[in-house]
Amino acid sequence: MYKLLTVKDVVRIPPRMFTMDPKEAAKIVLRETYEGIYDKDEGVILAVLDVHEVSEGVIVPGDGATYHEVVFDVLVWKPEMHEVVEGEVVDVAPYGAFIRIGPMDGLVHISQLMDDYVVFDEKNKQFLGKEKKYLLKLGDEVRARIIAISVKSRIIRENKIGLTMRQPGLGKFEWIAKEKRKSKEGEAG
């Protein structure tokens, strides 16, 4: 889920930036510090958007920089349990498919791809459902539900998201449309 947050923190502005507008200098330092990290409470910090307030600076003995209290906005994305997400298949492996959902990739284990017996075609890098003949490959657009979140680090790649596509309304968009048509035909007939 994407959110806009207002944050208050202290920023260190080095002497080389003293000639700049304080808000611009603070924004540059905040972007270097915050953007691209995973905060366990707020999620992935995507962007520092605007600096609203910069207090008068304080000089600490032995450090030529100034320290300022700042109030600024950030755009964050945090995966939520049971959230329905849409994304693209960006990698496949014998054990499942990796789906790009926002700034992170989630794994759909082979057992969670579809309600069917699934085999992995190593040569063509795709999954095939034996009965329904559904096919999942790189570049396919899908809808999935978050079923597990493992946060271990501030580094985005070290955190893991587990996904499922084995519920009604989930899966490759082509499958969802086909299932909808089948249910409409069943109602009409």
Side-chain angles (χ1 to χ4, degrees):
M1 177 182 303
Y2 290 92
K3 293 186 270 187
L4 280 175
L5 302 175
T6 300
V7 180
K8 185 176 186 178
D9 200 359
V10 174
V11 67
R12 178 186 182 274
I13 298 180
R16 64 182 164 76
M17 298 177 113
F18 285 172
T19 57
M20 296 175 70
D21 174 63
K23 284 186 178 181
E24 280 305 307
K27 190 179 214 179
I28 290 168
V29 172
L30 290 167
R31 282 185 168 161
E32 290 170 2
T33 306
Y34 282 97
E35 288 181 358
I37 66 162
Y38 193 100
D39 179 88
K40 65 179 174 46
D41 297 319
E42 303 302 340
V44 179
I45 300 172
L46 300 172
V48 173
L49 300 175
D50 197 20
V51 177
H52 299 292
E53 298 173 28
V54 178
S55 72
E56 195 169 301
V58 175
I59 299 174
V60 176
D63 185 355
T66 55
Y67 291 80
H68 305 260
E69 277 193 0
V70 292
V71 177
F72 58 100
D73 292 334
V74 291
L75 175 65
V76 298
W77 179 81
K78 184 177 183 186
E80 301 285 347
M81 282 297 288
H82 310 294
E83 180 179 6
V84 174
V85 293
E86 294 180 354
E88 178 186 351
V89 177
V90 292
D91 195 12
V92 292
Y95 53 85
F98 290 91
I99 313 298
R100 173 91 15 100
I101 52 171
M104 294 179 71
D105 294 345
L107 171 67
V108 183
H109 187 268
I110 190 169
S111 67
Q112 295 296 310
L113 287 173
M114 60 185 90
D115 286 323
D116 201 346
Y117 179 76
V118 180
V119 292
F120 180 64
D121 176 357
E122 182 82 42
K123 182 181 171 193
N124 297 310
K125 297 276 191 198
Q126 61 189 15
F127 295 95
L128 177 66
K130 280 291 193 190
E131 289 180 29
K132 293 183 178 179
K133 303 293 184 212
Y134 285 170
L135 193 68
L136 185 72
K137 61 188 181 317
L138 288 174
D140 285 346
E141 296 290 328
V142 300
R143 182 178 296 141
R145 181 180 305 278
I146 296 174
I147 56 171
I149 302 169
S150 175
V151 178
K152 294 190 170 144
S153 169
R154 292 173 64 98
I155 299 167
I156 295 170
R157 291 187 173 276
E158 293 179 5
N159 301 303
K160 303 197 180 340
I161 298 174
L163 303 168
T164 185
M165 296 188 330
R166 284 188 66 169
Q167 297 171 349
L170 301 181
K172 186 173 167 180
F173 289 122
E174 181 182 305
W175 308 341
I176 297 167
K178 192 179 276 187
E179 293 295 327
K180 262 188 186 172
R181 283 193 301 274
K182 275 186 190 174
S183 70
K184 282 185 180 179
E185 288 169 6
E187 289 172 12

